[in-house]
Amino acid sequence: MYTGRRSWRKLLNSIATAGTPPTKSRHIHGARTDLAQGQAKPKNASKKKSTKPPKPATREDLSARLATALSYPRLHADRSRINILSPQLCDDIIARLAPSLKGHENCDIIEVNPGVGLWSSKIHEYLKPRTHILMEPDQKLYLPFLQPLLDKPDSHYRHVPYSGTEWASYQRIVDEGMLPEQKPLEHNDPLQDRPNNSLLFLANFANYPPKSMMGFSSITSQMFHQLMSAVRTHSLFQAYGLVRMMVWIMDREKPTILPRSISDRRKSTVEVESTCDKVIEVAGAEGSGSRIKREKQIDVESAINVSKSMQAENVGTPESRKSQLQIEAEAVLSSETKSVPSVASGSLSADRPWHSELKSLEKRWEEGTLARLVNDPTATVQNYESASYSKGSRETTAHTREYRRMVALQSLRRVSLRNASTFDQLIVLSSKISSLLRKLSERISSASPCTKSSTISSLQNQIIKLKAQHADLYSSLDTENRSRLFHYNDDRAAFRNSPRPLLLHDCRPYHPLLTHPNDFSNRHHPLCLLDLHPAPVSPALHSKPSRHAIYELLAKWLFAHRSQPFVKELESLAPGAVEALVPHVPALRDRLRQDDWDLAPDPGEDTADSSKTVSQFRVRMLTREMLEGLATAWEGWLFRPSTTDLYMKVDAKYDETSYRSGLYGDHEA
């Protein structure tokens, strides 16, 4: 073990030379690694520096240098951060973003946690910024990687040992004069709501294991909450206008910000949707990053729409960066029939991880390479998961594990298909009943007395028959499958929402580039890159700050139980709020009127009453416009609870329930 200054110099030398031949070692902080220990440099040696450009760093080189640094036991550094190590991934991302990055050439860059500096150098080389501020507090570990960038002739890099998670750090940058071209805008200046392309924010908030911070589940959750607040209040670097943000996070954390299923849509998602005009996943791992899946048909149709848009814009993807979903969508478009499947005609079945495993096992079974019985005659039943017993021979025959696995998955598939068929029938019956109820209501209000009896009785008989069929099917589902039914139905409604899909993922302009495990320093925990484009604050919330406080409190209360009926949650906050607020929110009022008949109706409800359709509309289906309308109507409600009582009730609810998952207190009890 090394001690003192000499050990530190040797550590720098080891980081610089790891993964490179001794004769071609790199110079870090002036260390003479090309000479043997104790050998002095000749006095008559030439002082001219080599004019050969340095070789570009490879993934293996960066990985070896980082591993050498982290192996030093006395190095006090953040070992949980995940770094980008693939030059090819950086090149592919910049090629994808090139059209939108052209407007940021010669801009100023603020980068938080640059780490080994690979992504920093790539984006710097393309944009050629005036100033590139590297906010790297972990100097002992990462300064040897960043020093070559700082030592370049006429370097525009500036390193500050400040933490990007501390908001005072951004004011220090301004006070030290590192952003001379950026001028803070006055309050109510129209330029505050316009994009500022002369400034770009980059960050890496990926850590494993995740670090809880200030009551938040991870650094990502805390930082996104603060960044969205900065956009709304025009503070920090957002005081110069709307600044684009490109953030690396763990792939497993993206469902809380950019969900692919309506069940993952929570308060943090709504906050991002209300603050940013576009949130694009530029690069990410295969899959949604969540255990909750929506039906495969929706994913395929969404991917086909994106592939059409990419073809129209002539946007390509390298073959090694195409996800399986993109490959399937392109195969549909390139087929001769070019028939695009529709969600309305699809089956309610989600793509599960075990599907590929079952397909592989069944293929081996057909080929005869998967054995049913154990070949070893001495094998005993205890060594295997199950066995079949022959009464005639009084012998026990052991099955192989792979065969038992295939049988179990086949049984699971039969149950899934049977449930999917039941879900489809229930949704179709619900739609028919809803249509008949609307017709019945129109007939009652507009038909003449002479035609009322025959027409109305016919409609009522049809409704009674359909309700009986619906009740029989619904009673056959257990509690888990009933919850899954609502999940699938909401996913369909969110995808066909007008004028655009409810989830921002379905509005993406291109498919995300597929990342690989070797692209990062932790191959078991991949990252994804999110591109956030801030939008002006809604005039309804910008005009009165108190209204935005009500907006946040309503969202926090409602989305605490996002899978529950909206009416139930709003009434639990303030009795009488539904009757007082909903009529003044056109988006919500119209949505409840056109809602389908309840999938779980009250058996004793009136057949002709089509207004009892509210319970199916769940909190997770609320849009930004609906929440803004509720906040505005709340202020005009004469019998509303006071803001102090509202704060106390919301806080008490969150004190009673533990923070289970999601961002900054988003959970579902």
Side-chain angles (χ1 to χ4, degrees), residues 265 497 502 551 554 558 566 581 584-592 594 617-619 621-633:
R265 189 169 179 266
N497 185 68
L502 185 58
Y551 173 91
L554 289 175
L558 294 171
F566 161 74
L581 302 181
H584 300 284
V585 186
L588 186 57
R589 182 189 62 224
D590 296 341
R591 179 65 177 85
L592 295 180
Q594 69 182 12
F617 184 75
R618 303 187 176 269
V619 171
M621 297 295 293
L622 287 171
T623 64
R624 179 186 65 182
E625 292 77 15
M626 294 177 184
L627 285 171
E628 291 176 358
L630 284 174
T632 303

Side-chain angles (χ1 to χ4, degrees), residues 368-427:
T369 58
L370 191 152
R372 177 184 179 186
L373 304 177
V374 178
N375 295 326
D376 186 2
T378 62
T380 59
V381 179
Q382 288 77 11
N383 295 334
Y384 300 92
E385 294 182 356
S386 63
S388 62
Y389 186 77
S390 175
K391 293 183 178 180
S393 60
R394 298 290 180 180
E395 295 179 354
T396 303
T397 306
H399 289 157
T400 61
R401 292 182 183 272
E402 292 180 331
Y403 176 78
R404 292 300 307 166
R405 177 65 173 169
M406 183 185 70
V407 172
L409 293 180
Q410 287 176 338
S411 177
L412 180 60
R413 180 177 59 186
R414 286 194 296 270
V415 174
S416 300
L417 292 177
R418 183 170 61 250
N419 290 336
S421 176
T422 304
F423 294 164
D424 275 329
Q425 295 178 52
L426 283 170
I427 292 177

Side-chain angles (χ1 to χ4, degrees), residues 254-261 264-265 269 273 503-505:
K254 70 184 179 185
T256 57
I257 302 169
L258 193 64
R260 298 190 183 186
S261 172
D264 281 325
R265 189 169 179 266
T269 310
E273 292 172 354
L503 299 180
L504 289 178
H505 171 74

